Amino acid sequence: MSLLEVSGLHAAYGPVRVLHGLDFVVDEGEIVVILGANGAGKTTTLRSLSGTIPVDGEVRFDGAPIAGRKPEDIVRLGMAHVPQGRGTFMDLSVDDNLRLGGYTRPVSEVEEDKAHWYEVFPRLAERRDQAAGSMSGGEQQMLAVARALMCRPRLLLCDEPSLGLAPLVVREVFERLAEVNQRSGTAVLLVEQNANLALGIASRAYVLENGSIVMSGSADELSEDEAIRRAYLGM
Amino acid sequence: MELFLQRLIDGLAVGAIYASLALGLVIIYRSSGLINFAQGEMAMFTTYLAWMLVDNGLSVWLATSAAMVFGFVLGVLVERLLIAQFSGPKESPLAIVIVTIGLFLFFNGLAPWIWGTEGKSFPNLFGTGSVDLGGVTIKVQTLGIVGVLLAEVVLFYLMFQHTKLGLSLRAVASNRESSRLVGLRVGSILAVGWGIAAMVGALSGTFVASRIDLTQNLMQVVLIYAFAAATLGGFDSPVGAVVGGIIIGVVEQMAQYVDLFDGFTLLPVFLLILVVLLVRPQGLFGRAEVSRV
Amino acid sequence: MSAASWAVEKRPTLVKVGRWVGWIGIIAVGLYLPQAFPPFRVGQFNTIMAYGLAALGLALLTGFNGQISIGHGAFFGIGAYTTVIIVGDHPEFPWLATTAVGALLAFAVGIVVGLPALRIRGLYLGVVTLALALLFRQALEKYSDLTGGSQGRGVPRGQKFSAPDWTGLANDQWRYYVIFVIVVGCLVLSRNIVKSRMGRAAVAIRDNETAAEVLGVNVARTKVLMFGVSAMLAGIGGSLLVIGSPIPRVSANSFTIVLSITFLVALVVGGATSILGPIIGAAFVVLLPEVVPHEQQVLTPVILGAVLIALMLVAPDGVVGLSRRSASWAWRMLARAADTGPDTGLETGDSSKEQLQLDSRES
Amino acid sequence: MTRPNKRHPLTLVAMFALVALIAAACGGRDDDTTTGGGGDGEDGGGEALVADPADCEIYDGEAGVTEDTIKIGTSAPISGAVAAFGKPLAGMRAYIDYINAQGGVDGRQIELIAEDDQYDPNLTLQNVQKLVEEDNVFALVGVIGTPNNLAIRDYLAENCVPSLAVATGSPKWGDVENYPWMIGGLPSYAAEATLFAEYLKENQPDAKVAVIFQNDDFGKPYVEAFKNAIEGTDIEIVGEESYDIAGQADTTAQVTTLADTDADAFLVAATTTCPNILGQMPDDWEPTTYVSIVCTSRTLMALAGDAAIGAYSARATLDPADPANAEDEGIAFFLEEGPKYGLTEEDLGNLNVAIGWSWGEWFVDMLEESPALTRADVMNTAWAQQDQHFGVLLPEVLVNTNGVEDPWAIEQLQLIRWDGQAWVPEGEVVSFEGETNTFADPTA
């Protein structure tokens, strides 16, 4: 049994149907990437997993059906979502952002985890009393990831962490993600346009086009694939 | 000089009442980004409930406490039953403005239907004594109200900055979707925010009722000044509400020096908030809008 | 081809024809009314039209531009006082010319109030305009030498807007017809504004101010102008209230914040994004007290409040929106019956898209 | 896309033309502008009628009167911010129910139609038009509010509809020459202000007076009259402050300023704000304080607490809530019969309800005394009252009117003083019989 099992996932915004029956799985501890162009339905996929939009189809997390449950309940089951645009609490301090990340955990754990993630992300420690909105995009992305990790998730959903960041910063963000995955064993489901870096840290990948999965395989296989190379790797 | 000092102190007293109601407005604004035009009428309504208890022999303090509990329940109910209906895709601040104006009319009409149109007298929480300080009289009531206001501010500061509830209230105000994603039950938190606001309102209602007669109009004018206070201080800042309230109270008193403002007390207040908003749209203590990327 | 499928196919034409028939019907009924009712009822219709203009001004401002005003009673008052003061001091001055003066004054004050509105956005504007309404009331009392304060001020006794002999009309009927024409003119004007470049710009600003700016809309100018026009309509309404009365008179007691709230109620009841809606809403607020049983009149505000809340819950686009939606629903049913119609599912959204929106600080 | 805005001037022109056509085609209303001044002005019979139907284009003297009913109307704030002002209505209604239970007036039942105006003069006018034109009432009684009555008095004069016991004390009701179809039901505010001035002349002839007034139709004429009354005396106004009742929550600033003048008399021309004003007076300022008659309600005095003790006011009526008055005939009658006709315990203790009851009684008296049940006769009966006494008026207060010469009904007042529990009379009832119009110009 996989950690996350999705089958026949449909979603729509009002009358506009976006996802047309997705099937995919994420195993415990692995990094999976969903590649797709703008408008392919990547963000919608993550949003339907975390419960922010209504869905049709079957979603099992750790064996339990979660489709149709509210985001605040899903996060308690151990699935954290770093939304597109990071979703930081801009006018709250870095420290408050992290505390909120651990909202579902007991207070003692929160202090412990905060210390841990400050260690992993020393730049956040330097800025702990600063308003999150005043930090650079890269720092905010780190904060968003750290905040999501504060709830000790078993699966981290990451929505285009590279969006709007300088290439160097993007590289660092991906390195951090890989590091986090290795150190804590948290599985990561990443949606990205930047296939190059994403495939570099992922073990498996899916390709999403117009709301359907058109290809899947190991990260290595896909990075070798001619079509993928042309479409996403710019070669 | 004595007159000046007296006015300063009077301004403080009046300002404390404005500030107290403004605090409630700020709490709602902070948690839901909304302005509750029914804040004053809800306070009036709970003050009537307190009056009923006093009329039945309960002590003023107990009745006031009970009114605060009523207020909390009323706030929670209003949020859950009405305001919450406008969350999600239908969300529109204007719709909610109109709903709160509807509530304003509703409570304002309901009170005289239940309790009659004649004014009621509500006893003073702090007695009628006064202290003389070198020619300047300070009423014990003034000291009491200012004291309660300070206590409110300290409590709110502690609550917002150092409790999980305060943190979640701030989080919900800052980013509702992210709040849900970290596991906050946004609906309940908003309801609690409205409850606390109405609770504070209930307290200020009893303050006002101890100074003027209790009718359905109890809070109407006070609400305008409380709005002015919150606007001046910044709708998202409790400190701003208090400072704004005091400033407006003092300005109102000092305006007596100017003939133009005799019987025209809203003018200086109006001009003041207009100027402040033009220079600093977020108010004196409000946080500027953080631009979203 | 079945009748239903024919109807579905011809829907755009039918809608257009229906609209014209509707307008002509409304105008015909409007013209007939004063023939059928006694003078006091006719006077009441004048009040409805005057209030309706103020609510129409609010519709342009709020429904189509996303700015809010809880102070339109002040602009309404400017129009009313202009007429009473000018005619009071110069009885030879033509009544309708005072309406023009009042409209201009209200427009000017509207522009002045609209200017800070550029920076004071959304809900703050609600608070500031609310203060404006109270301020106006205080000013009336403060400068009672000019305005008469709460005692009020009238025109010299017997002076009223009367019917010229050639019309053969009774005074009340004459007043009604003149007001009716002006109101219809204002409705046409408003409709044209809404359909004009400026109107489209206003709607774009309402929906997304930043996006509108990017598209090259002059946000500042549009918002200020909309505020001015909105105030002007209210000013005309105020002047017409006086002109339409058998005893032209104003008192500060008529210009409390309750009046501003009344306009908002009319707006919401009728529908904020329609041109005719505000008039329907005004009829509602003026006539409601008559249907409330006499023993329960103390409950009138309760009923108003409850109606307001209920409408926001079930029909945020007012009576007009409700009828638009039911018409749309009827068409879909027809289409289904005909089974030839295109999928109108997306089209039904057009009225709900026009729900109340407001540029708020947090949106 | 069409460009409808180009069409608009044309549309307007077309609209005008259309309206002109249709309007011309429809023609006027037959029943409206009946020509011919005068009507059948024979009712009164006398030579110099105060209320003369000849002044009206249309005069329908017996409107609202049938074999077995008399329809009358009133307009009052039943809902809205100042619904408390509408209290007399309850008393009036109760009295009319009482008289109907006794068989009515000359066998006719009185039907009272009350419309709500929320204290908005525009609505008052609309209500009165409806009452006169649609409900066809015979007369109005107890219409509340100065601005409201000002809004309708031209209409009443034009249509010759009597309005009796007008429920305000504005000096303007003395202008019978221009407005003979209405008569006041309260003492003039000016008479009240004069009473206090007279008291000062006698007891503090060189008093320095501080004045606070509501800057509206109540406070302004009040202060005007007081100034008239002290003209030529050594009494001097040393401080004058106003406040706006609708826009001000607090009057501390004004009171503080006035206290600073150290005045030895303090005139409070306020309504519901009285307790606030008294409560704000600093302990070391102890002037002779006078509060207006509208502040004499127990609720208001109780609110002011100790600060109110020793304050003066005036009265023309007895307070039904004061046990000391229980012996009075009018009060006893009110307390006994009132509850049978819908008055609650609370109503019985309310002076304004008792005043409404009294107006009901006065109105019925006038109907009964009138030579015939026509509008002009009833109105002229009101203008020729002799030693009339009704309701809860002080036993010493007798109503005498004589048209333009003496248009004020209630012109006797008694100074009273609040002892913390009740109002205690101070001295005799003072009579201003026939003088009220000299205290303030009713046409001002």
Side-chain angles (χ1 to χ4, degrees):
Chain A
M1 189 184 69
S2 297
L3 180 61
L4 178 74
E5 293 173 342
V6 177
S7 57
L9 183 68
H10 290 266
Y13 291 108
V16 186
R17 305 170 70 83
V18 179
L19 300 181
H20 311 283
L22 306 190
D23 304 293
F24 61 90
V25 294
V26 178
D27 282 324
E28 200 92 47
E30 69 170 342
I31 299 186
V32 174
V33 60
I34 298 182
L35 295 174
N38 262 339
K42 301 189 302 289
T43 298
T44 311
T45 308
L46 291 197
R47 285 167 64 93
S48 44
L49 295 180
S50 65
T52 20
I53 54 169
V55 290
D56 255 345
E58 199 180 4
V59 181
R60 286 179 173 275
F61 184 68
D62 201 14
I66 58 165
R69 298 194 65 175
K70 293 182 196 152
E72 51 267 40
D73 295 327
I74 290 174
V75 67
R76 283 179 165 79
L77 296 173
M79 187 198 292
H81 183 176
V82 180
Q84 194 173 31
R86 306 167 200 118
T88 36
F89 299 98
M90 300 271 199
D91 40 2
L92 268 55
S93 68
V94 169
D95 202 60
D96 283 342
N97 267 275
L98 290 186
R99 275 167 70 199
L100 281 164
Y103 186 81
T104 54
R105 315 294 307 183
V107 183
S108 54
E109 268 182 31
V110 171
E111 287 308 313
E112 201 179 297
D113 288 6
K114 251 171 39 187
H116 173 71
W117 295 118
Y118 277 140
E119 222 169 274
V120 178
F121 300 103
R123 223 124 30 103
L124 296 183
E126 287 164 27
R127 308 220 185 300
R128 61 191 300 160
D129 293 322
Q130 204 173 313
S134 66
M135 298 198 303
S136 73
E139 287 164 340
Q140 286 194 38
Q141 190 63 57
M142 307 283 188
L143 174 62
V145 171
R147 191 196 66 209
L149 291 166
M150 281 294 294
C151 69
R152 297 194 177 180
R154 294 168 65 194
L155 174 62
L156 183 66
L157 309 178
C158 250
D159 195 344
E160 289 213 52
S162 67
L163 194 73
L165 298 185
L168 262 178
V169 184
V170 175
R171 191 173 296 274
E172 194 191 340
V173 169
F174 278 89
E175 276 166 14
R176 294 294 182 175
L177 273 177
E179 188 186 334
V180 164
N181 168 255
Q182 268 159 20
R183 282 172 66 152
S184 61
T186 306
V188 179
L189 176 61
L190 190 65
V191 305
E192 257 304 338
Q193 290 194 66
N194 190 334
N196 213 350
L197 282 172
L199 289 175
I201 63 167
S203 55
R204 291 188 303 111
Y206 295 88
V207 178
L208 193 63
E209 265 172 31
N210 294 326
S212 303
I213 288 176
V214 293
M215 203 185 286
S216 66
S218 78
D220 295 342
E221 277 166 31
L222 284 176
S223 28
E224 296 304 313
D225 186 280
E226 203 47 41
I228 296 293
R229 291 172 69 93
R230 235 180 295 119
Y232 297 99
L233 299 178
M235 288 169 198
Chain B
M1 193 60 200
E2 259 175 37
L3 182 61
F4 182 82
L5 278 180
Q6 185 72 54
R7 281 190 171 146
L8 202 63
I9 286 165
D10 291 343
L12 207 64
V14 192
I17 289 185
Y18 301 155
S20 176
L21 192 66
L23 267 179
L25 294 168
V26 165
I27 291 165
I28 288 181
Y29 189 83
R30 281 194 72 144
S31 58
S32 55
L34 299 169
I35 293 178
N36 180 12
F37 284 86
Q39 177 82 2
E41 301 313 283
M42 285 161 68
M44 172 273 293
F45 205 77
T46 49
T47 306
Y48 264 109
L49 294 171
W51 171 82
M52 279 174 80
L53 294 176
V54 172
D55 203 42
N56 281 300
L58 211 63
S59 87
V60 195
W61 283 99
L62 275 177
T64 302
S65 314
M68 290 172 74
V69 176
F70 289 141
F72 184 84
V73 175
L74 186 65
V76 168
L77 285 179
V78 163
E79 203 284 333
R80 285 289 79 189
L81 297 179
L82 292 175
I83 309 298
Q85 308 302 317
F86 294 91
S87 66
K90 274 211 282 182
E91 175 155 3
S92 137
L94 182 59
I96 294 172
V97 165
I98 288 170
V99 168
T100 60
I101 288 177
L103 280 172
F104 174 103
L105 290 173
F106 185 82
F107 285 120
N108 191 258
L110 200 59
W113 186 67
I114 300 175
W115 292 289
T117 52
E118 285 288 292
K120 318 276 184 214
S121 80
F122 192 87
N124 197 325
L125 281 100
F126 302 99
T128 51
S130 61
V131 191
D132 193 50
L133 287 180
V136 178
T137 1
I138 307 180
K139 299 214 181 301
V140 176
Q141 191 192 6
T142 302
L143 294 174
I145 291 177
V146 173
V148 170
L149 176 72
L150 289 179
E152 272 180 51
V153 173
V154 171
L155 281 176
F156 277 128
Y157 175 79
L158 292 176
M159 185 199 77
F160 271 120
Q161 298 302 327
H162 296 285
T163 67
K164 210 169 167 180
L165 174 66
L167 181 63
S168 48
L169 281 167
R170 286 188 291 139
V172 167
S174 169
N175 189 330
R176 212 172 276 189
E177 178 159 325
S178 289
S179 300
R180 299 187 74 189
L181 287 176
V182 297
L184 268 62
R185 305 203 183 279
V186 172
S188 324
I189 290 164
L190 286 177
V192 168
W194 278 71
I196 294 174
M199 194 168 84
V200 183
L203 186 61
S204 48
T206 52
F207 285 158
V208 180
S210 65
R211 295 164 68 96
I212 60 179
D213 61 332
L214 170 56
T215 66
Q216 79 266 32
N217 307 321
L218 184 74
M219 302 302 280
Q220 275 178 10
V221 179
V222 182
L223 180 72
I224 302 290
Y225 285 90
F227 272 148
T231 312
L232 185 62
F235 254 101
D236 58 352
S237 161
V239 178
V242 171
V243 177
I246 301 289
I247 292 179
I248 292 212
V250 172
V251 164
E252 194 193 346
Q253 303 298 306
M254 295 299 170
Q256 283 297 307
Y257 283 116
V258 185
D259 273 347
L260 171 67
F261 298 146
D262 184 27
F264 208 0
T265 39
L266 264 172
L267 186 61
V269 171
F270 185 78
L271 293 177
L272 183 69
I273 60 172
L274 217 52
V275 168
V276 169
L277 284 178
L278 286 175
V279 181
R280 238 184 106 79
Q282 71 272 31
L284 292 176
F285 290 82
R287 238 184 279 223
E289 217 173 331
V290 183
S291 60
R292 305 256 160 89
V293 185
Chain C
M1 201 198 318
S2 74
S5 64
W6 176 84
V8 169
E9 209 160 274
K10 296 279 184 209
R11 181 183 171 188
T13 327
L14 280 182
V15 166
K16 200 174 270 175
V17 170
R19 204 163 275 168
W20 274 105
V21 170
W23 275 99
I24 291 169
I26 288 166
I27 287 174
V29 169
L31 289 175
Y32 176 67
L33 279 179
Q35 304 293 333
F37 286 93
F40 119 79
R41 286 288 169 198
V42 176
Q44 207 171 33
F45 300 148
N46 292 345
T47 306
I48 290 174
M49 290 192 285
Y51 278 27
L53 279 190
L56 176 66
L58 272 184
L60 290 188
L61 185 71
T62 305
F64 291 102
N65 194 211
Q67 305 191 69
I68 191 174
S69 165
I70 314 180
H72 259 45
F75 302 118
F76 190 76
I78 288 173
Y81 275 89
T82 304
T83 295
V84 168
I85 290 172
I86 294 182
V87 176
D89 289 346
H90 310 279
E92 71 286 350
F93 208 87
W95 287 82
L96 290 179
T98 68
T99 307
V101 176
L104 282 177
L105 266 178
F107 180 78
V109 177
I111 294 282
V112 172
V113 175
L115 279 177
L118 293 178
R119 303 205 58 182
I120 307 164
R121 296 167 58 193
L123 301 173
Y124 277 70
L125 190 55
V127 172
V128 169
T129 48
L130 178 65
L132 177 76
L134 260 179
L135 199 66
F136 181 72
R137 162 90 184 45
Q138 269 199 350
L140 292 178
E141 216 56 280
K142 171 85 182 174
Y143 299 105
S144 57
D145 288 345
L146 180 69
T147 65
S150 58
Q151 279 207 343
R153 162 164 191 168
V155 298
R157 191 166 161 195
Q159 189 82 22
K160 47 187 89 167
F161 185 65
S162 323
D165 288 338
W166 59 264
T167 58
L169 290 170
N171 285 339
D172 62 284
Q173 292 173 323
W174 168 247
R175 285 182 211 120
Y176 174 92
Y177 283 124
V178 169
I179 292 173
F180 184 75
V181 170
I182 295 175
V183 168
V184 171
C186 288
L187 289 175
V188 172
L189 176 74
S190 305
R191 182 181 165 278
N192 291 346
I193 288 177
V194 168
K195 303 257 171 186
S196 73
R197 238 178 97 90
M198 184 174 129
R200 290 197 301 272
V203 171
I205 292 169
R206 173 195 76 185
D207 292 343
N208 188 333
E209 188 164 328
T210 319
E213 200 151 21
V214 172
L215 289 173
V217 169
N218 188 336
V219 172
R221 202 183 59 192
T222 310
K223 285 176 85 170
V224 171
L225 262 179
M226 285 304 270
F227 214 110
V229 170
S230 169
M232 183 185 78
L233 285 170
I236 296 175
S239 172
L240 294 186
L241 182 82
V242 172
I243 290 178
S245 170
I247 310 290
R249 195 180 168 83
V250 283
S251 151
N253 284 9
S254 302
F255 298 91
T256 61
I257 57 166
V258 175
L259 183 67
S260 297
I261 293 181
T262 305
F263 294 153
L264 262 186
V265 177
L267 173 78
V268 171
V269 170
T273 53
S274 91
I275 297 297
L276 204 55
I279 310 279
I280 299 172
F284 172 84
V285 293
V286 171
L287 298 176
L288 175 74
E290 301 219 13
V291 295
V292 178
H294 270 84
E295 317 77 63
Q296 297 303 337
Q297 269 168 345
V298 67
L299 282 178
T300 315
V302 179
I303 296 170
L304 271 184
V307 165
L308 212 50
I309 295 168
L311 268 176
M312 290 320 290
L313 286 172
V314 302
D317 40 5
V319 175
V320 168
L322 200 63
S323 62
R324 269 188 212 154
R325 267 185 292 150
S326 32
S328 180
W329 175 84
W331 280 110
R332 251 181 308 147
M333 290 295 113
L334 212 56
R336 190 169 298 172
D339 206 19
T340 58
D343 182 12
T344 51
L346 287 176
E347 263 179 89
T348 55
D350 64 357
S351 62
S352 57
K353 238 190 296 171
E354 293 191 343
Q355 272 174 19
L356 296 175
Q357 290 190 9
L358 181 71
D359 60 327
S360 69
R361 298 174 61 81
E362 65 284 337
S363 69
Chain D
M1 179 158 188
T2 54
R3 305 285 298 274
N5 36 344
K6 283 203 166 161
R7 222 168 36 220
H8 122 245
L10 253 185
T11 320
L12 263 187
V13 172
M15 203 78 72
F16 261 106
L18 186 67
V19 168
L21 269 176
I22 297 189
C26 291
R29 182 186 286 109
D30 301 331
D31 58 354
D32 186 59
T33 41
T34 16
T35 50
D40 52 350
E42 300 306 312
D43 308 88
E47 281 298 298
L49 288 180
V50 182
D52 189 349
D55 297 340
C56 300
E57 283 192 354
I58 326 150
Y59 173 67
D60 186 0
E62 287 170 27
V65 182
T66 66
E67 280 291 291
D68 42 15
T69 58
I70 304 173
K71 218 189 264 184
I72 59 171
T74 191
S75 180
I78 296 171
S79 71
V82 291
F85 292 178
K87 266 286 150 190
L89 181 59
M92 222 151 62
R93 223 185 252 294
Y95 186 83
I96 283 168
D97 288 348
Y98 159 80
I99 211 76
N100 284 339
Q102 310 304 308
V105 176
D106 295 337
R108 293 181 175 91
Q109 294 283 302
I110 299 178
E111 187 190 333
L112 172 66
I113 306 174
E115 297 288 347
D116 179 19
D117 59 30
Q118 298 167 31
Y119 213 58
D120 176 349
N122 275 333
L123 289 181
T124 313
L125 176 62
Q126 264 183 43
N127 288 345
V128 167
Q129 281 184 272
K130 174 178 175 290
L131 288 167
V132 171
E133 296 173 27
E134 195 168 270
D135 298 325
N136 205 21
V137 298
F138 175 71
L140 302 175
V141 59
V143 176
I144 289 163
T146 303
N148 312 74
N149 277 293
L150 288 173
I152 61 170
R153 64 177 183 170
D154 281 350
Y155 180 84
L156 298 174
E158 280 172 21
N159 293 281
C160 291
V161 178
S163 181
L164 304 166
V166 164
T168 98
S170 165
K172 293 193 182 279
W173 313 144
D175 183 12
V176 182
E177 202 125 12
N178 292 310
Y179 298 99
W181 292 89
M182 60 200 305
I183 184 167
L186 287 178
S188 161
Y189 301 141
E192 204 200 318
T194 306
L195 179 75
F196 183 51
E198 294 294 325
Y199 173 83
L200 286 181
K201 278 186 209 165
E202 219 158 277
N203 297 285
Q204 287 169 269
D206 52 357
K208 301 198 175 350
V209 190
V211 176
I212 186 167
F213 65 99
Q214 214 161 285
N215 68 344
D216 62 3
D217 57 89
F218 168 76
K220 284 178 198 161
Y222 204 100
V223 173
E224 256 342 281
F226 182 75
K227 284 181 183 163
N228 285 344
I230 58 169
E231 211 165 305
T233 69
D234 289 335
I235 300 172
E236 189 194 349
I237 294 185
V238 291
E240 195 179 330
E241 296 291 330
S242 74
Y243 66 94
D244 179 59
I245 189 148
Q248 215 169 336
D250 198 276
T251 47
T252 318
Q254 286 86 341
V255 177
T256 306
T257 310
L258 293 173
D260 199 53
T261 64
D262 258 330
D264 38 29
F266 185 27
L267 176 65
V268 182
T271 56
T272 51
T273 331
C274 288
N276 191 355
I277 293 171
L278 295 179
Q280 297 304 341
M281 291 167 64
D283 294 349
D284 54 358
W285 187 38
E286 287 172 336
T288 308
T289 301
Y290 182 90
V291 299
S292 93
I293 215 165
V294 288
C295 283
T296 55
S297 113
R298 284 160 171 275
T299 316
L300 292 178
M301 295 315 281
L303 266 170
D306 292 347
I309 294 178
Y312 290 91
S313 188
R315 68 174 183 186
T317 52
L318 290 168
D319 184 355
D322 190 344
N325 298 332
E327 296 298 303
D328 178 83
E329 205 180 317
I331 292 281
F333 176 56
F334 169 68
L335 293 179
E336 194 191 320
E337 296 295 331
K340 297 181 195 161
Y341 300 97
L343 293 186
T344 64
E345 191 69 29
E346 207 186 330
D347 289 338
L348 291 178
N350 188 313
L351 179 60
N352 289 328
V353 175
I355 289 176
W357 170 275
S358 311
W359 285 332
E361 187 177 331
W362 186 27
F363 175 71
V364 167
D365 286 352
M366 286 187 277
L367 287 187
E368 282 170 347
E369 280 167 34
S370 178
L373 267 187
T374 71
R375 284 173 168 174
D377 281 313
V378 170
M379 196 66 230
N380 286 312
T381 303
W383 290 132
Q385 301 267 293
Q386 275 177 2
D387 289 341
Q388 195 79 23
H389 184 269
F390 55 83
V392 298
L393 285 179
L394 287 171
E396 298 86 347
V397 174
L398 297 175
V399 172
N400 283 287
T401 58
N402 182 17
V404 181
E405 303 299 310
D406 177 12
W408 288 92
I410 300 171
E411 297 184 290
Q412 288 101 333
L413 290 168
Q414 183 172 38
L415 203 67
I416 47 177
R417 196 166 167 274
W418 181 252
D419 71 357
Q421 304 296 321
W423 289 104
V424 189
E426 284 279 316
E428 294 303 304
V429 173
V430 179
S431 176
F432 296 124
E433 190 57 59
E435 295 172 49
T436 302
N437 264 357
T438 63
F439 302 149
D441 179 3
T443 58

